[in-house]
């Protein structure tokens, strides 16, 4: 038998130690692999965007450099355009005066009952393109009612009308609202008559006429300092969480006036019809379309024996509906006329966020809620 010397013993010991170390390392590696955390595949879900009045991404800030969001539509425009005061124009809305001219360019369109079951409309314009057909012809323009003056004041708008009731005269004086009328003052030369249309449904105005009157009257042309937006907007078009689908909305203001809106899912807008046909702009032939619809229920009643209407608006609140993207959510509203504050709130009590784009607002009697039909 071969004798092991000291050197051989050391070599054998070193080999055994190496084998033990390698075996231990392999076992630990296997154990680590066996206990390694398994990462599940990422599932991409549709995430509701957080509403914001300003872009949150660096890219968005770069894209919108030199721009600001419109107070009326939430769309991005040149800063120097956004700070300009809007015009709020009273539109005739009887069948013989339809279709109206320039109404399709209104960023916000109000509709409310006046006497006799007819409605009038208030178009709020977020600037008017001087090269457009609207710049040449807006109307026909009719006389003001005091609640329309109140709506115009919510937006710090220059109120444009042709005549007014005594109630409207008092309201405009109380509110201190800047206004142009074809009946007297600086606005008398801002309107013209179309002889092919029967009076009093033939009064029209133009951008040039409005601008000259504003200049002659030294009327402020920019939003009042500290003005706060009437609305808050989503950054992008957003579908509200709701179980109520609205593909057709009918508003039976009266037996005479029952406009309806059909949802165009492809373009994500509601298309308006009235008097048995599409409601179009006479200047363009295009049907009126809105991204947002608000039905605002108000306490409304006859103010005198002539059937003139009034509403509880000075310091009031109520309920309503917000309709967009084929869905409806219930809302509440609160208005303080003396401070020009008017806000809508969702069912959680938070301020309502609406989609960018045009908005139609039906100011509807709260004792006729059954006449608001959603299909």
């Amino acid at each position: 038998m071969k004798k092991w010397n000291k050197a051989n013993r050391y070599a054998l010991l070193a080999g055994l130690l190496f084998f033990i170390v390698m075996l231990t390392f392999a076992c630990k590696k296997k154990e680590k692999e066996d206990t390694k955390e398994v990462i599940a595949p990422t599932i991409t879900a549709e995430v509701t965007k957080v509403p914001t009045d300003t872009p949150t991404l660096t890219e968005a800030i770069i894209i919108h450099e030199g721009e600001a969001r419109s107070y009326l539509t939430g769309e991005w425009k040149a800063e120097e355009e956004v700070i300009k005061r809007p015009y709020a124009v009273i539109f005739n809305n009887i069948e013989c005066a339809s279709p109206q001219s320039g109404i399709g360019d209104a960023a916000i369109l109000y509709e409310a009952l006046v006497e006799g079951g007819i409605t009038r409309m208030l178009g709020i314009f977020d600037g008017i393109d001087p090269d457009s057909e609207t710049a040449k012809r807006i109307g026909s323009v009719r006389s003001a009612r005091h609640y329309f003056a109140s709506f115009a004041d919510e937006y710090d708008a220059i109120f444009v009308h042709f005549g007014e009731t005594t109630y409207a005269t008092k309201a405009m004086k109380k509110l201190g609202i800047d206004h142009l009328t074809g009946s007297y003052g600086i606005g008398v030369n801002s309107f013209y008559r179309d002889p092919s249309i029967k009076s009093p449904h033939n009064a029209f105005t133009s951008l040039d006429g409005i601008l000259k009157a504003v200049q002659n009257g030294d009327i402020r042309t920019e939003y009042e300092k500290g003005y706060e937006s009437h609305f808050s907007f989503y950054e992008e078009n957003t579908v509200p969480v709701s179980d109520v689908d609205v593909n057709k909305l009918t508003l039976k203001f009266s037996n005479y006036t029952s406009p309806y809106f059909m949802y165009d899912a492809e373009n994500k807008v509601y298309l308006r019809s009235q008097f048995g046909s599409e409601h179009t702009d006479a200047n363009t032939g295009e049907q009126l379309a809105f991204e947002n619809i608000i039905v605002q229920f108000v306490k409304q009643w006859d103010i005198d024996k002539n059937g003139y209407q009034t509403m509880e608006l000075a310091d009031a609140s109520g309920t309503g509906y917000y309709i967009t993207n084929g869905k409806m959510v219930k809302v509440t509203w609160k208005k303080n006329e003396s401070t020009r504050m008017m806000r809508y709130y969702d069912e959680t009590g938070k301020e309502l966020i609406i989609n960018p784009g045009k908005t139609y607002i039906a100011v509807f009697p709260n004792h006729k809620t059954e006449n608001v039909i959603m299909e």
Side-chain angles (χ1 to χ4, degrees), residues 45-77:
E46 183 178 352
V47 179
T48 302
K49 293 182 179 293
V50 177
T52 176
D53 287 337
T54 56
T56 57
L57 301 177
T58 302
E59 294 86 344
I61 294 173
I62 294 172
I63 291 171
H64 297 300
E65 185 177 2
E67 295 184 323
R69 298 193 80 174
S70 163
Y71 290 124
L72 304 185
T73 66
E75 297 169 335
W76 292 94
K77 299 177 62 177

Side-chain angles (χ1 to χ4, degrees), residues 71 79-86 125-127 221-223:
Y71 290 124
E79 289 179 352
E80 61 269 22
E81 293 299 319
V82 170
I83 63 175
K84 291 182 180 179
R85 294 177 76 184
F125 290 83
D126 194 17
T221 58
E222 295 183 356
Y223 278 103

Side-chain angles (χ1 to χ4, degrees), residues 16 26 28 38 75 95 103 120 221 242 264 305 321 342:
L16 288 172
K28 287 189 175 181
V38 178
E75 297 169 335
E95 190 168 5
I103 196 169
R120 283 199 181 150
T221 58
S242 173
D264 178 353
K305 64 181 181 181
Y321 304 128
M342 169 65 208

Side-chain angles (χ1 to χ4, degrees), residues 117-238:
I118 66 173
T119 62
R120 283 199 181 150
M121 296 180 139
L122 181 73
I124 303 178
F125 290 83
D126 194 17
I128 297 174
D129 182 354
D131 297 322
S132 67
E133 290 301 313
T134 296
K136 303 173 187 176
R137 186 178 174 94
I138 305 170
S140 66
V141 182
R142 288 305 309 272
S143 57
R145 299 295 180 266
H146 58 288
Y147 36 91
F148 283 119
S150 181
F151 301 146
D153 192 46
E154 293 174 12
Y155 300 89
D156 191 27
I158 298 170
F159 189 35
V160 181
H161 55 100
F162 200 110
E164 71 263 15
T165 62
T166 56
Y167 307 110
T169 301
K170 293 176 181 177
M172 288 186 291
K173 184 177 180 179
K174 179 181 177 181
L175 294 169
I177 191 169
D178 292 322
H179 69 105
L180 309 175
T181 177
S183 301
Y184 58 86
I186 59 174
V188 291
N189 295 319
S190 300
F191 298 81
Y192 63 90
R193 297 279 186 179
D194 183 341
S196 68
I197 301 173
K198 184 178 179 180
S199 180
H201 310 299
N202 62 347
F204 294 83
T205 190
S206 65
L207 177 60
D208 185 58
I210 292 173
L211 292 177
K212 285 180 179 178
V214 168
Q215 184 178 14
N216 292 338
D218 195 25
I219 293 176
R220 174 171 49 88
T221 58
E222 295 183 356
Y223 278 103
E224 189 174 53
K225 187 176 180 180
Y227 176 78
E228 295 183 2
S229 179
H230 189 283
F231 294 111
S232 295
F233 298 93
Y234 284 105
E235 187 65 40
E236 296 180 359
N237 187 284
T238 301

